[in-house]
Amino acid sequence: MNILAISGSLRAASTNTSLLRAAATLAPSGVTITIYDGLDDLPHFSPERDVEPAPDSVSRLRTQLRQADAVMICTPEYIHGMPGVLKNMLDWLASSGEFVYKPVSVISAGPSASGGSRAHALLFHTLEVLTAHLPEGASLIVPSVKMRLNGHGEITDPVLAQELKSVIDSLVNAVQASPAIG
Ligand SMILES: Cc1cc2nc3c(=O)[nH]c(=O)nc-3n(C[C@H](O)[C@H](O)[C@H](O)COP(=O)(O)O)c2cc1C
């Protein structure tokens, strides 16, 4: 089973990307979590650019999503919303439909007590509009994230590691329970 993990942060030292890297090490056997590294390459979305052939970076994204059994998105909150780069990516997928019925895990993480809950809610809603499958138990808000990772971006809080494992399990169960949709 292949899960594509997308971080909403472009920062090299991103805590959100660190959580996805940690998730990759927590995945059960038979489940591969691959970090998407093309967010920074996507052009600004415009309906006039959304024609065939799509820009290479957009084609690559769409292919990777089509080949993924499920998706994990982990994002920080910027100005009470999701980062523009993440929303830009979702705009490229509105017409092509890769998220339709796709099991998606929505995670937000931030240094504050809210853990990016407003970005989480907005991302969740956008994915609902794209008719993604948002399985129960596959959602997570991670407050105080900087206190729960070490300097190498590894999880030091066993509660967080357990929560992340549980998110992955819920996502995997959702894939196993859903009919194959090509
Ligand atoms: C432009 C900008 C806006 C931000 N706005 C918020 C915000 O509205 N709420 C919040 O909790 N944190 C906010 N933050 C703090 C980020 O959540 C924090 O920097 C986070 O660690 C970034 O995630 P990363 O480590 O994955 O890059 C903002 C940061 C930036 C750079």
Side-chain angles (χ1 to χ4, degrees):
M1 187 182 298
N2 293 310
I3 298 176
L4 188 65
I6 301 171
S7 172
S9 173
L10 297 180
R11 254 173 17 97
S14 161
T15 51
N16 283 272
T17 309
S18 293
L19 285 185
L20 292 175
R21 288 204 190 100
T25 68
L26 295 170
S29 79
V31 176
T32 304
I33 298 180
T34 306
I35 314 268
Y36 170 63
D37 64 0
L39 196 66
D40 202 12
D41 301 328
L42 298 174
H44 293 149
F45 174 78
S46 164
E48 287 169 345
R49 293 181 185 158
D50 192 9
V51 290
E52 289 299 325
D56 283 352
S57 56
V58 174
S59 267
R60 269 199 304 278
L61 167 67
R62 289 173 173 165
T63 301
Q64 279 185 268
L65 282 168
R66 271 197 296 273
Q67 289 172 347
D69 299 295
V71 178
M72 292 183 92
I73 304 179
C74 190
T75 187
E77 179 170 289
Y78 282 178
I79 324 178
H80 291 195
M82 72 181 96
V85 284
L86 182 58
K87 180 61 166 58
N88 184 57
M89 180 198 83
L90 295 173
D91 288 344
W92 276 110
L93 304 168
S95 65
S96 52
E98 284 75 17
F99 272 112
V100 175
Y101 304 138
K102 184 78 79 183
V104 184
S105 166
V106 179
I107 305 172
S108 67
S112 68
S114 76
S117 59
R118 289 157 295 220
H120 190 279
L122 291 168
L123 173 58
F124 197 93
H125 179 60
T126 303
L127 289 164
E128 279 178 329
V129 175
L130 294 175
T131 61
H133 175 32
L134 301 160
E136 218 175 306
S139 244
L140 182 65
I141 293 172
V142 183
S144 309
V145 69
K146 287 190 178 157
M147 296 164 57
R148 306 166 86 183
L149 301 174
N150 65 20
H152 303 291
E154 294 156 349
I155 295 178
T156 51
D157 175 4
V159 174
L160 177 56
Q162 192 48 51
E163 285 174 338
L164 213 44
K165 256 189 209 162
S166 168
V167 161
I168 298 165
D169 287 346
S170 298
L171 196 57
V172 168
N173 289 341
V175 174
Q176 285 166 344
S178 63
I181 50 158

